[in-house]
Amino acid sequence: MSSTALRRTALDALHRSLGATMTDFAGWDMPLRYGSERDEHLAVRTRAGLFDLSHMGEITVTGPQAAQLLNHALVGNIASVGVGRARYTMICQADGGILDDLIVYRLAETEYMVVANAGNAQIVLDALTERAAGFDAAVRDDRDAYALLAVQGPESPGILKQLTDADLDGLKYYAGLPGTVAGVPALIARTGYTGEDGFELFVKPEHAVALWEALTEAGAGAGLIPCGLSCRDTLRLEAGMPLYGHELTTSLTPFDAGLGRVVKFEKEGDFVGREALTEAAARAEASPPRVLVGLVAEGRRVPRAGYPVVAGGEVIGEVTSGAPSPTLGKPIAMAYVDAAHAAPGTPGVGVDIRGTHEPYEVVALPFYKRQK
């Protein structure tokens, strides 16, 4: 049986020329690392890193009722997002289970761009298309219309300023503006998934290589290096950011994930999952569900997703993500644990790593917060 060929981004040949270790990620052939994961991670924390995120799924929603459609289809109040701003939100099933977490950019009065995770892009596209019935709005699959590059880290504003006259200082977190970067038309967004300041640049695929090379050149003096998906994962883990398929799944509602704040019951009209989420909110208030916490290892063994969290010989939770933390110098994990064991400093908590109960300290998330 021949497997489906992996999709390749517009930067594929460039990644290979840089000696990247490539991996299958959600059906895309993506760079896992170029050299040392630790070096790439620390570059983003202290200087800057350059990422290819062209596997993310862009879906454009346009038309007189685009806002009403998105308010109906998603749990957030998208109609209240100003032009040029972005919002983190979720799309849920009718039973309240999370289909995906999303960023929605309002590009114009009646035009939005929904950015879905690579592995869920088709699911989100299908759901939005289905939910568009009866609305004067069109849903368009724009996954092939964009390449996405990200510059992340404290040096990223200085690097980008060399290549654009766009007002970066005036660009707030979770905002986006059209501009020109290195002569290439781009949507410049101040968003990211690393816990650092940074920018995501949506451009046409045919402009991706020229933009990558211009950014590499502009960032050379500031210590910018190319970064793969491996350090993206450790960066977001340190920043306490959820990853779909780990901290977020269809078996959890936003309230189970501790992200009930993204659900806006006060918005006008019905939305998919409203009834189930109303019940989930009441349940969460009456008896708190398991709580997402941070765990820091006392030893050297790294916990992985699915490992049981234990206390007093009982299983009290489950690890959702785990990795060595280059910033803390210790293994860390996120885990859902019973509310009774969720307070920072709760004694006697461990992770069952192949039959051995390794001691862990319960800490509040995030593990790492950048100095503003």
Side-chain angles (χ1 to χ4, degrees), residues 60-208:
T60 304
V61 179
T62 55
Q65 291 190 307
Q68 291 95 317
L69 160 59
L70 290 170
N71 263 12
H72 165 71
L74 312 179
V75 300
N77 188 353
I78 308 305
S80 68
V81 178
V83 173
R85 298 308 302 264
R87 184 157 298 165
Y88 176 79
T89 187
M90 294 182 185
I91 182 166
C92 290
Q93 300 177 147
D95 67 3
I98 302 166
L99 279 174
D100 200 13
D101 62 334
L102 311 164
I103 294 181
V104 180
Y105 298 89
R106 189 170 196 165
L107 303 181
E109 197 57 40
T110 60
E111 184 181 3
Y112 295 82
M113 181 167 67
V114 177
V115 181
N117 285 298
N120 294 329
Q122 190 64 48
I123 291 164
V124 173
L125 178 68
D126 292 344
L128 286 175
T129 304
E130 186 185 314
R131 294 173 190 187
F135 289 93
D136 187 2
V139 176
R140 186 173 73 230
D141 179 0
D142 268 347
R143 282 176 287 181
D144 293 336
Y146 291 103
L148 176 56
L149 279 65
V151 191
Q152 296 281 304
E155 299 288 343
S156 54
I159 293 166
L160 202 54
K161 277 177 187 174
Q162 298 173 51
L163 299 174
T164 183
D165 55 9
D167 178 17
L168 298 185
D169 292 335
L171 188 65
K172 295 183 173 72
Y173 188 52
Y174 266 72
L177 86 170
T180 303
V181 182
V184 169
L187 173 68
I188 306 165
R190 199 164 206 155
T191 42
Y193 192 52
T194 61
E196 298 299 335
D197 190 11
F199 302 88
E200 295 183 321
L201 306 169
F202 296 86
V203 298
K204 288 183 175 173
E206 58 264 33
H207 294 147

Side-chain angles (χ1 to χ4, degrees), residues 324-338:
S325 163
T327 305
L328 275 63
K330 297 175 177 181
I332 59 171
M334 287 201 279
Y336 283 111
V337 302
D338 294 343

Side-chain angles (χ1 to χ4, degrees), residues 115-356:
V115 181
N117 285 298
N120 294 329
Q122 190 64 48
I123 291 164
V124 173
L125 178 68
D126 292 344
L128 286 175
T129 304
E130 186 185 314
R131 294 173 190 187
F135 289 93
D136 187 2
V139 176
R140 186 173 73 230
D141 179 0
D142 268 347
R143 282 176 287 181
D144 293 336
Y146 291 103
L148 176 56
L149 279 65
V151 191
Q152 296 281 304
E155 299 288 343
S156 54
I159 293 166
L160 202 54
K161 277 177 187 174
Q162 298 173 51
L163 299 174
T164 183
D165 55 9
D167 178 17
L168 298 185
D169 292 335
L171 188 65
K172 295 183 173 72
Y173 188 52
Y174 266 72
L177 86 170
T180 303
V181 182
V184 169
L187 173 68
I188 306 165
R190 199 164 206 155
T191 42
Y193 192 52
T194 61
E196 298 299 335
D197 190 11
F199 302 88
E200 295 183 321
L201 306 169
F202 296 86
V203 298
K204 288 183 175 173
E206 58 264 33
H207 294 147
V209 171
L211 181 56
W212 179 284
E213 289 173 343
L215 287 163
T216 300
E217 195 176 321
L224 173 98
I225 62 170
C227 294
L229 293 182
S230 185
C231 83
R232 183 170 148 91
D233 191 47
T234 51
L235 288 159
R236 71 90 196 167
L237 176 56
E238 286 184 352
M241 294 175 168
L243 175 64
Y244 195 87
H246 290 256
E247 288 73 40
L248 309 173
T249 67
T250 50
S251 63
L252 296 171
T253 71
F255 294 94
D256 297 321
L259 291 165
R261 64 180 180 276
V262 305
V263 182
K264 303 300 181 191
F265 292 116
E266 71 278 10
K267 64 180 174 176
E268 280 180 34
D270 196 17
F271 63 90
V272 177
R274 181 191 273 273
E275 195 177 327
L277 289 169
T278 303
E279 291 168 14
R283 263 199 319 275
E285 205 160 313
S287 69
R290 281 185 164 177
V291 180
L292 189 65
V293 300
L295 298 173
V296 178
E298 292 180 21
R300 308 303 310 164
R301 296 184 74 186
V302 178
R304 297 295 180 194
Y307 285 11
V309 181
V310 291
E314 301 287 316
V315 173
I316 57 149
E318 186 177 299
V319 170
T320 53
S321 296
S325 163
T327 305
L328 275 63
K330 297 175 177 181
I332 59 171
M334 287 201 279
Y336 283 111
V337 302
D338 294 343
H341 294 87
T346 299
V349 173
V351 176
D352 183 340
I353 299 182
R354 299 193 187 89
T356 308

Side-chain angles (χ1 to χ4, degrees), residues 12-30:
D12 184 77
L14 196 146
H15 298 316
R16 291 167 198 281
S17 75
L18 292 171
T21 301
M22 305 296 285
T23 188
D24 173 358
F25 186 85
W28 290 81
D29 208 10
M30 296 297 293

